Amino acid sequence: SDDAPLIKGIFAIRNLRQEEGLARFSGDEARYRHWLREFIGHGPAAMMQIRQAINKGSAEAAIRLVHALKGRTGMLGMAEVHSIALSLEMTLRNREPTALWLQELESTIHEMCKELADALLE
C-alpha cells in the first residue's frame, strides 16, 4: 500500500516510540500521523513561547508551557523530548538556571521536527 514507506519512515525516527504513541491513539495511524505532522509546527512555536516566558522572568507561564509540551510529547511517544521537558520543568519549579535544559530541549525538538518532516512530508 502507499502507506508502507510512511510507516517505515516513522519507525526509523530515533527516539520516537511509535508503538507507544500509536497505542495512545487506539491504533488509529491516520490520527497519529496527523498529530506528528502537527508537531512539526507546534514544537518550535512552543519552544519560542517558553523561551520568551523565561526571558521575561515569568516562571509560572514557562512552567505551564513546558508542562503542556511535556504532555504532548509524552502522548506522541517522543521519549527523549519528554524527558528533557521534564528536566526543564523541574529546573523552573526549583528556580534553578534553565539555559542548559532550554538549549537541550530546543535542539532535540529541532532534530525531531526535521526527522518528522523527512518521514511524513515526502
Side-chain angles (χ1 to χ4, degrees):
S1 85
D2 291 344
D3 287 348
L6 214 51
I7 296 299
K8 203 161 77 197
I10 298 170
F11 268 119
I13 297 175
R14 211 168 52 81
N15 296 312
L16 180 64
R17 295 182 180 157
Q18 191 207 7
E19 298 86 347
E20 280 179 31
L22 197 52
R24 290 194 190 90
F25 287 88
S26 308
D28 185 339
E29 283 172 24
R31 229 172 110 233
Y32 182 48
R33 279 203 300 267
H34 165 81
W35 287 106
L36 287 173
R37 259 194 304 275
E38 207 267 344
F39 187 81
I40 296 169
H42 175 83
M47 242 0 277
M48 205 160 36
Q49 290 179 312
I50 290 165
R51 189 175 275 287
Q52 285 168 347
I54 289 172
N55 289 343
K56 281 195 300 211
S58 44
E60 291 312 310
I63 289 168
R64 276 196 307 277
L65 290 163
V66 173
H67 186 79
L69 180 66
K70 183 186 73 176
R72 177 175 291 215
T73 56
M75 180 186 75
L76 292 171
M78 300 175 178
E80 187 183 24
V81 181
H82 180 266
S83 165
I84 295 166
L86 174 62
S87 296
L88 178 58
E89 185 182 7
M90 295 319 296
T91 301
L92 282 161
R93 288 186 190 283
N94 296 333
R95 302 280 192 262
E96 294 164 359
T98 55
L100 179 74
W101 289 118
L102 195 59
Q103 181 56 51
E104 189 67 20
L105 188 59
E106 216 161 38
S107 64
T108 308
I109 284 178
H110 175 77
E111 192 178 306
M112 176 58 75
C113 290
K114 187 185 174 309
E115 292 190 46
L116 285 172
D118 290 347
L120 293 166
L121 303 179
E122 287 151 346

